[in-house]
Amino acid sequence: MSLHVRRTGPLATVQDRGRTGLAHLGVPRAGALDAPAAALANRLVGNGPDAAVVEVTFGGLELTADAGAWVAVTGAPVPVDVDGAARGHAGAAWLPSGSTLRLGTPREGVRSYVAVAGGVTVAPVLGSRSTDTLAWVGPPRLEPGAVLPVGPSTRGPAAHDTPRPPRPGPLRVRPGPRADWFAPGTFAAMCRAPYVVGEASDRVGMRLEGPRLERVREGELPSEGMVLGAVQVPPSGLPVVLLADHPPTGGYPVPAVVEEDDLWRCAQLRPGDLVRFTPA
């Protein structure tokens, strides 16, 4: 079967768990920004953990099925309907042949995930079906008229009582490798300061606005490897949390790194949302 894209909203891409192990070749990781939400969507429709899903930014996606299939929507809560009939969030729903699945605008959060039983089976590139929005490796961003092939379903849908454990409060961070490029006490000061998510944030990085971090070393840092969650500080002094599509290397100093288990929260923070850090 196939899913036919009618509308996409601001941005819709195909994502799986990303192309890991290629950073030494200069290839970004990509993959679903909210990995727990994408994994839950796959479990709900009986897919394995490596199945590709559609990541939808700020809703607006419409897909028409040419054969019946189970689908599930997770992540940012959005109104979901099939041919105008409301369907639930974070549960499996039957999408009959010829019917259209529609996602509205999320009430909170940013990114929703649509899984279909059998998984989206666009051709993999370097071992992954993920779209990398930095270098545009992998399948292109979805546009109206695109056709998404779907693999055979091997298991039926299953209920999963696996709500995401809430973790309100600050993002946990550990000290980074370049504390000596900043004034003494910078890590502690960053953990006390309020920041706001900037409008320019995307899948590459969450750009923050707020108190500037003071550098005490001038000049350029030789480009070095960057990990997911690294908090880079460009010459502006404003931190940038590197996300799934970040470049494998960078030349700005890193005073802190966000805990991996908290990164999904960065995927759901909107421009204008308050961000605080705390030592891990």
Side-chain angles (χ1 to χ4, degrees):
M1 68 164 291
S2 298
L3 297 173
H4 298 257
V5 179
R6 305 304 183 195
R7 293 180 61 237
T8 62
L11 176 67
T13 58
V14 176
Q15 300 292 339
D16 56 20
R17 295 203 288 184
R19 41 186 72 82
T20 56
L22 297 175
H24 66 296
L25 299 177
V27 179
R29 174 177 181 160
L33 282 193
D34 188 340
L40 175 58
N42 273 325
R43 291 197 301 271
L44 287 168
V45 297
N47 289 343
D50 293 318
V53 300
V54 178
E55 182 181 274
V56 186
T57 302
F58 286 120
L61 181 72
E62 292 187 7
L63 300 171
T64 299
D66 63 12
W70 289 100
V71 295
V73 180
T74 61
V78 292
V80 179
D81 74 71
V82 175
D83 288 346
R87 296 290 185 268
H89 183 265
W94 180 249
L95 185 62
S97 177
S99 61
T100 298
L101 174 75
R102 295 182 178 87
L103 274 59
T105 302
R107 300 181 294 275
E108 59 185 37
V110 177
R111 294 172 176 89
S112 303
Y113 294 84
V114 179
V116 56
V120 176
T121 56
V122 295
V125 177
L126 297 176
S128 171
R129 294 185 168 92
S130 290
T131 300
D132 161 27
T133 62
L134 179 66
W136 294 108
V137 175
R141 62 184 291 168
L142 299 186
E143 300 288 354
V147 178
L148 298 176
V150 175
S153 176
T154 57
R155 292 182 291 175
H160 285 270
D161 185 17
T162 54
R164 186 179 357 241
R167 220 202 150 265
L171 296 172
R172 294 171 295 172
V173 290
R174 296 185 183 275
R178 296 298 174 187
D180 59 324
W181 280 67
F182 297 90
T186 292
F187 180 81
M190 189 184 81
C191 290
R192 292 192 301 267
Y195 287 93
V196 170
V197 178
E199 292 284 346
S201 299
D202 55 19
R203 283 183 48 87
V204 177
M206 183 174 70
R207 301 174 186 277
L208 301 178
E209 299 172 357
R212 300 174 188 273
L213 301 182
E214 180 187 355
R215 281 175 52 168
V216 294
R217 290 184 59 176
E218 300 297 331
E220 296 297 325
L221 179 70
S223 206
E224 58 187 1
M226 289 291 141
V227 299
L228 187 64
V231 182
Q232 267 198 335
V233 181
S236 67
L238 297 176
V240 180
V241 180
L242 298 184
L243 301 180
D245 289 355
H246 74 86
T249 62
Y252 299 134
V254 174
V257 180
V258 176
E259 281 283 283
E260 184 177 4
D261 287 346
D262 284 1
L263 285 172
W264 68 265
R265 298 173 58 203
C266 299
Q268 302 298 357
L269 289 168
R270 295 184 171 199
D273 281 352
L274 180 67
V275 175
R276 287 185 179 272
F277 298 104
T278 191

